[in-house]
Amino acid sequence: MEFNLSEDHQMLADSLRRYLADNYDIETRNAAAFEAPYHSAETWSGLAELGVIGAFLPEDQGGFGGTAEDVSVIFEELGRALCAEPVLGALIGLRLLADAGRDELAAAVIEGRARVALAIQEPGIGCDLDPLSATARKDGDGWRLDGRKSAIYGGPGADHLLIVARIGAGGGQGGSQDGTLGLFLAETPALIDAAMVDGGGIADLAMEDLAAECLSEDAGAAIEDALDLGRIALCAEAVGAMARLIDMTVDYLKQRNQFGRPLASFQALQHRVVDMLVELEQARSITIRAVADYGSDNQARAVSMAKNLIGRAARHIAEEAIQLHGGIGMTWEYPGSHYAKRLVMIDHQLGDKNDHALRLIKLQPRKDAA
Amino acid sequence: MDLSFTKEEQAFRDEVRRFLRDNLPREIAAKVSAGKELEKDEILHWQEILNRKGWLATTWPAEHGGPGWTAVERHIFAEESARASAPRMPPFGLNMLGPVLIKFGSDDQKARILPRILDGSDWWCQGYSEPGAGSDLASLKTRAVRDGDHYVVNGQKTWTTLGQHANKIFCLVRTATEGKPQEGISFLLVDLDTPGVEMRPIRLIDGGHEVNEVFFTDARVPVENLVGKENQGWTIAKYLLTHERTNIAGVGFSARDLERYHQLAQELSRDGQPVADHPVYALRAAEIEADLEAMSITNLRMLAQARDGAAGGVESSLLKLKGTQIRQEIQDLYRSALGAQAAPDAEDLSENELTVPVDAARAAPVYFNNRKLSIFGGSNEIQRNIVAKELFRG
Ligand SMILES: Cc1cc2nc3c(=O)[nH]c(=O)nc-3n(C[C@H](O)[C@H](O)[C@H](O)COP(=O)(O)OP(=O)(O)OC[C@H]3O[C@@H](n4cnc5c(N)ncnc54)[C@H](O)[C@@H]3O)c2cc1C
C-alpha cells in the first residue's frame, strides 16, 4: 500500500501549484471567468506550456502521462487555485480525439494551438446516456446532425467541437433508444455562449442539418470512459477546493473577534469545522478509490460512489464555510464565496449525486434469486 | 383543539386574496417569482397601492395609519402576499422604525416621520452592523459626540440593505464609553444627504447589489434626531427584536417556493421521466412538505401564544432557526432539480436561446443569495445560543 505521490507526480503538482500561485490570483481569475470568452488565453497557453494538457494522454498517443492519477493530481491543484480555465472540456475532448486516432489535432490541443470542447449533454440527461436524442444521418460523403445540445463546458471560443449523436435511431421520444452513439467533429458552429454561475464558459448548440465529420460510428464505450475520467477530474478538483476553503475558514475564525474573543474559541464552531474536515477526508479517500479503479471492472461503481459522495460533501463544506464566515462569506469580494459556488456547482456537472446514486444502484452486484 | 381559522378570519383571507388578485401587477409578481431584483419604482408602486388600501403598515395601530389588525390577520396577510409573489416591503421603515417611533418617539417625531414612511417620501435603511460588530452588536464603535445642538458622528456601518434606494438611515451609535457596552448606545436618525456621510456598494455572492457600506466623517446630526433618551438605544434595539416576529419563519415564502418547485418538477425531465415522478426528488419534496406543514403549525401555535399575551423570545428563535432551514432546503431542491441546466448564468439570455425554463434562470444565484437567511436577523448560531441559555438557565 502506498498513498504518497510518485516523484514525478509530486513534481507535476508542485510546478502547477507554483505556476498558479504566481500567475493566477483571484482577481485574475474573476476578470477572466465572468467575461466572454470566459477564460484567459494567457493562462491557457501557460498551462499548455507546463504540460498540463499533455499529461491527459499516454505517451503512445502523443502525451506524457494519461493515467487517472495524472488527471487527479492536476485537477486537485486546479481546484485549490479555483482555476476556471476550460480544462475539463479539453480533458474529455482530447481523450476522445486520441481514441479516434486524430493525432494531429490532439497534438495541436496539447500544445495549446487549438482548443476542443465536447457537446454531449442534452436537457434532462443525468449520467445515463440512453435517452440522448440528437441524431446523425449520412448525407453523401458526410454527415448531418439534428437536435439540441447543452452544457458544452469550455464551448465559448473553442476551435473544434466534438458532438455526440445517435446513428440509426428508430426515433421515438424518451426512454431507451436504439442505434449507436456516434462521435462527430465540427469546426466550431454557432454556439449560444454563457458564463457559468461559478465562472468559466458554457454553451448550448442548436443543430439543424449541421454538417459534420464522423470520427466513430460507435463511440459509446469510449465516451463513457472519457466521461468517467472527467468525473474523477471533478472529484479531485473538489478535493483541492474543499481543502483550501477549510483552510480559509480556520484562518478566518482565528482572526475574527466577537464578544471579546476569537470566533475560533467557540467550541460550537470548532466542532462544525471538524465535521467539514471529516467530509474532506472521506472525499479524498473515495477519490483515491476511483483513481485506483479507473480502467478496471469496478470503474463505473467507484466513479459513481466518488461523484455521489463529493456532491454531498462539497455542498456541506460550501454552506458551512459561508455560514461560519458570516456576512463576509456572502460577498463577491471574498475569495471564499467563489470557492463555495464552485463546490456547489460541481454537483451539476457530469451527473449529480442523485444520478450517480441511481447508477450505483443499477450496478450493484446482486445475488441471483434462487 | 381546533386548527381552523374563525369564520371572520376565513372571510378576511378571501378578502386579501381578492385584493391581491385584482391589484397586484402581473409583471411585478412574475419578477418576484423568478427571484429577480425589483427596481425601486416597482417596490414603491406596490407600496402606494397598499397604502391607498390602508394595508401598508400592518403592525401600526389605526391611529397612526395602520389597519389595526390582530396578529392572526397580520399572519394571514403576510402568508397570502408571499404566496401571490407580492413584493416584500422593505421592513426598515414600516416594521422597524415605525414601531420604534410609536413606542419611543416624541410627538414631533411621530408627526414628522410616520406619514413620510407611509407615502414613500422617505426610504429608511438600518445602520446597526459594523465591520467589527456583527453578532456582537453591543461592541459597536460608531461615535456620536454632542456638540451644541448637534451630534458629531464618526465611524462606519456595513451590510446596509438597499441603502442605495434610501435617503435616511437609523443608526445605533455610541454615546458613552464607560460602563457596560450596552449602556452607552443611542438610537439616532441620520439624513443620508448630511455632509460627511458616504455610501459604497458591496457586491454579493450572486453578483447583485443589495447591501452597502456607510461611512461617517464628522457628520453633524441635529439632536432632535435622537429617538428616546441618550444611551437608551440598546433597550430600543431589543424592543425591536422581540416585537412582531410572527413572520420570521417565512412560511408564506416557503409555501410559494415549494409550489414553484412542483411546477418546475413537472416541466423538467430527468432520464426520460418527469422530475416530479423521479424517486429521489419526489422523496425529498415530500419530506420538505412535511417539514413545512409542521412549521406552519408551530408558527400558528406561537401566534396563538402571542395573541394570548405571552412574550416570545425563545419561540421566535425557534421559528427563525427552522424556518430559514426549510427555506434554504427548498432553494437547494429547486436548484438541484435543474441538473446540468442550473450551471449557466442564464438571466440575460432569453427563453429560446438556452434550454433553461425562464422562470428558473436564476435558480442557482437565488440559492446562493438565500444563504443570507441563516446569517442575518441574528445568525442561526446566535439563535441557538439564545435558546440554550434559556434551556440551561439556573
Ligand atoms: C445580505 C445581508 C443583509 C444584511 N442587512 C443588514 C442591514 O440592513 N442592517 C444591518 O445593520 N445589518 C445587516 N446585516 C448584517 C447581519 O446582521 C450580520 O451579518 C450578522 O449579525 C452576523 O454578523 P457578522 O456578519 O459580522 O458575522 P460574525 O458575527 O462575525 O459571525 C461569524 C460566524 O460566527 C458565528 N458566531 C458569532 N458569535 C458566536 C457565538 N457566540 N457562538 C457561536 N457562534 C457564533 C456566527 O453565527 C457566524 O456563523 C446583513 C447581512 C447580510 C448577509
Side-chain angles (χ1 to χ4, degrees):
Chain A
M1 217 171 309
E2 178 56 64
F3 288 104
N4 292 321
L5 291 181
S6 71
E7 212 172 296
D8 285 353
H9 283 137
Q10 194 59 57
M11 272 170 56
L12 177 63
D14 290 347
S15 66
L16 179 53
R17 188 182 297 200
R18 219 171 313 115
Y19 172 79
L20 291 167
D22 293 347
N23 298 286
Y24 196 76
D25 59 16
I26 191 82
E27 286 80 25
T28 311
R29 186 248 182 209
N30 285 348
F34 294 101
E35 295 287 337
Y38 313 111
H39 88 105
S40 141
E42 203 183 322
T43 308
W44 189 253
S45 45
L47 292 175
E49 262 168 53
L50 267 182
V52 161
I53 304 166
F56 297 153
L57 284 186
E59 277 171 35
D60 60 8
Q61 290 183 320
F64 19 89
T67 65
E69 197 166 358
D70 292 300
V71 170
S72 79
V73 164
I74 287 171
F75 271 85
E76 186 171 336
E77 293 308 326
L78 295 174
R80 203 183 305 277
L82 200 65
C83 184
E85 290 297 302
V87 194
L88 179 69
L91 163 68
I92 302 173
L94 194 56
R95 297 289 287 207
L96 289 171
L97 276 180
D99 272 345
R102 299 300 297 255
D103 296 348
E104 243 170 72
L105 189 48
V109 172
I110 286 176
E111 288 162 23
R113 286 184 283 117
R115 213 153 60 63
V116 64
L118 174 70
I120 176 168
Q121 180 73 30
E122 294 171 11
I125 303 290
C127 62
D128 179 2
L129 302 184
D130 273 357
L132 284 181
S133 67
T135 55
R137 68 193 146 74
K138 256 215 159 96
D139 179 38
D141 283 349
W143 290 77
R144 298 277 173 173
L145 311 183
D146 286 284
R148 183 81 204 206
K149 291 288 171 185
S150 61
I152 304 168
Y153 305 121
D159 313 287
H160 304 274
L161 194 63
L162 290 168
I163 305 170
V164 176
R166 200 167 283 284
I167 299 174
Q173 283 293 308
S176 200
Q177 310 215 9
D178 44 4
T180 58
L181 289 181
L183 182 68
F184 300 86
L185 182 65
E187 298 307 304
T188 306
L191 294 173
I192 304 153
D193 293 350
M196 296 208 282
V197 168
D198 51 325
I202 190 168
D204 262 27
L205 169 67
M207 303 185 293
E208 247 177 78
D209 263 349
L210 179 74
E213 178 191 348
C214 184
L215 299 188
S216 162
E217 292 191 22
D218 188 3
I223 290 168
E224 281 291 356
D225 274 353
L227 288 178
D228 273 347
L229 194 56
R231 290 166 183 137
I232 290 174
L234 287 171
C235 291
E237 182 187 349
V239 167
M242 287 190 274
R244 181 77 190 89
L245 187 55
I246 292 175
D247 284 349
M248 290 166 87
T249 306
V250 169
D251 285 348
Y252 187 76
L253 292 177
K254 283 186 187 161
Q255 151 220 322
R256 168 85 171 162
N257 286 297
Q258 289 287 278
F259 303 100
R261 50 196 266 206
L263 287 179
S265 69
F266 291 108
Q267 204 167 42
L269 300 183
Q270 292 174 357
H271 287 185
R272 301 267 289 266
V273 181
V274 170
D275 287 345
M276 293 161 76
L277 196 70
V278 170
E279 293 296 312
L280 168 63
E281 292 309 324
Q282 285 285 91
R284 194 185 288 287
S285 293
I286 202 70
T287 304
I288 290 172
R289 168 93 270 164
V291 166
D293 286 3
Y294 188 70
S296 80
D297 288 349
N298 198 47
Q299 169 183 314
R301 273 171 47 79
V303 166
S304 280
M305 280 186 195
K307 193 68 175 54
N308 169 269
L309 194 156
I310 295 280
R312 292 181 283 129
R315 176 192 168 201
H316 175 82
I317 288 172
E319 290 184 348
E320 288 290 84
I322 293 175
Q323 182 68 24
L324 296 184
H325 277 85
I328 293 291
M330 288 290 302
T331 60
W332 186 273
E333 201 180 330
Y334 186 67
S337 74
H338 296 279
Y339 278 83
K341 274 194 286 190
R342 178 70 194 128
L343 284 171
V344 170
M345 298 312 290
I346 277 180
D347 197 38
H348 290 268
Q349 295 186 278
L350 307 186
D352 69 13
K353 60 181 188 289
N354 299 331
D355 299 321
H356 284 282
L358 292 176
R359 186 180 182 218
L360 196 52
I361 292 169
K362 265 195 207 158
L363 294 167
Q364 210 68 266
R366 287 201 173 74
K367 292 210 183 84
D368 286 334
Chain B
M1 206 167 326
D2 182 5
L3 293 184
S4 54
F5 288 93
T6 64
K7 259 210 191 87
E8 292 74 26
E9 286 162 351
Q10 279 167 19
F12 176 72
R13 190 184 287 279
D14 291 339
E15 188 189 349
V16 171
R17 278 196 186 153
R18 235 178 352 245
F19 170 77
L20 289 166
R21 194 190 55 215
D22 297 343
N23 292 281
L24 177 60
R26 283 250 162 82
E27 326 77 66
I28 293 184
K31 265 179 115 171
V32 172
S33 167
K36 295 196 174 142
E37 274 170 42
L38 292 178
E39 306 288 329
K40 180 178 183 180
D41 282 352
E42 292 169 317
I43 298 173
L44 285 177
H45 180 50
W46 182 234
Q47 162 150 349
E48 197 197 313
I49 294 172
L50 288 176
N51 192 34
R52 237 184 291 131
K53 176 82 178 166
W55 284 4
L56 178 60
T58 58
T59 60
W60 300 7
E63 55 167 315
H64 293 295
W69 285 338
T70 63
V72 176
E73 286 167 332
R74 282 200 293 274
H75 165 78
I76 290 173
F77 179 75
E79 195 172 80
E80 291 301 325
S81 297
R83 275 178 178 252
S85 294
R88 192 182 146 221
M89 285 295 103
F92 308 111
L94 292 166
N95 295 340
M96 295 181 175
L97 183 59
V100 159
L101 288 180
I102 289 166
K103 172 104 175 165
F104 298 95
S106 66
D107 288 342
D108 171 61
Q109 284 170 337
K110 287 182 216 173
R112 207 156 37 89
I113 299 168
L114 294 178
R116 293 176 59 87
I117 294 178
L118 289 179
D119 70 14
S121 310
D122 290 334
W123 184 307
W124 287 89
C125 59
Q126 181 192 22
Y128 280 20
S129 306
E130 297 181 2
S135 299
D136 182 13
L137 187 57
S139 70
L140 62 91
K141 289 205 177 67
T142 297
R143 276 290 266 154
V145 177
R146 183 76 184 255
D147 177 26
D149 290 342
H150 288 81
Y151 285 103
V152 180
V153 181
N154 279 287
Q156 184 195 340
K157 294 294 173 181
T158 191
W159 309 122
T160 322
T161 296
L162 297 185
Q164 69 266 36
H165 298 331
N167 60 336
K168 313 261 184 186
I169 182 168
F170 57 89
C171 295
L172 292 179
V173 292
R174 182 151 304 286
T175 38
T177 49
E178 316 84 54
K180 280 176 60 180
Q182 286 83 347
E183 286 161 8
I185 292 171
S186 298
F187 196 102
L188 193 62
L189 309 177
V190 182
D191 216 312
L192 285 168
D193 289 340
T194 312
V197 180
E198 193 204 337
M199 184 164 318
R200 293 183 206 152
I202 298 175
R203 197 173 177 203
L204 284 188
I205 187 168
D206 60 345
H209 175 196
E210 172 176 329
V211 297
N212 304 270
E213 301 176 284
V214 187
F215 298 86
F216 300 86
T217 316
D218 292 330
R220 296 182 69 81
V221 179
V223 284
E224 63 258 28
N225 285 12
L226 180 74
V227 177
K229 297 193 200 61
E230 199 171 273
N231 298 331
Q232 200 193 5
W234 194 252
T235 310
I236 297 177
K238 276 203 343 210
Y239 166 76
L240 245 189
L241 283 178
T242 48
H243 183 265
E244 182 49 52
R245 310 221 83 190
T246 53
N247 196 27
I248 195 167
V251 169
F253 297 113
S254 287
R256 177 200 67 200
D257 290 343
L258 195 57
E259 259 169 45
R260 284 187 65 220
Y261 165 76
H262 284 301
Q263 273 169 20
L264 181 74
Q266 275 165 14
E267 280 175 49
L268 291 175
S269 69
R270 183 73 70 89
D271 296 338
Q273 66 180 328
V275 167
D277 301 332
H278 187 289
V280 181
Y281 291 98
L283 178 81
R284 221 178 134 201
E287 287 178 352
I288 292 178
E289 195 182 341
D291 283 340
L292 182 56
E293 189 60 30
M295 181 86 259
S296 80
I297 300 295
T298 308
N299 202 32
L300 292 178
R301 281 166 57 204
M302 307 211 163
L303 197 63
Q305 276 180 25
R307 178 194 61 199
D308 302 339
V314 169
E315 283 78 4
S316 80
S317 290
L318 296 175
L319 290 175
K320 159 95 198 322
L321 199 55
K322 193 66 194 175
T324 53
Q325 284 171 350
I326 291 174
R327 283 181 71 185
Q328 291 176 333
E329 276 301 298
I330 296 172
Q331 299 300 343
D332 180 68
L333 176 66
Y334 192 89
R335 171 182 54 66
S336 303
L338 284 160
Q341 289 164 270
D345 187 350
E347 195 186 358
D348 297 332
L349 298 171
S350 72
E351 183 174 18
N352 37 22
E353 284 181 291
L354 272 192
T355 46
V356 180
V358 248
D359 244 20
R362 278 184 54 78
V366 168
Y367 155 84
F368 286 112
N369 180 281
N370 274 297
R371 301 313 304 170
K372 71 189 175 191
L373 297 176
S374 47
I375 295 172
F376 67 18
S379 77
N380 283 14
E381 289 70 32
I382 294 302
Q383 305 299 340
R384 289 184 182 96
N385 286 349
I386 292 170
V387 179
K389 199 169 162 193
E390 185 65 25
L391 196 59
F392 294 102
R393 198 174 42 167

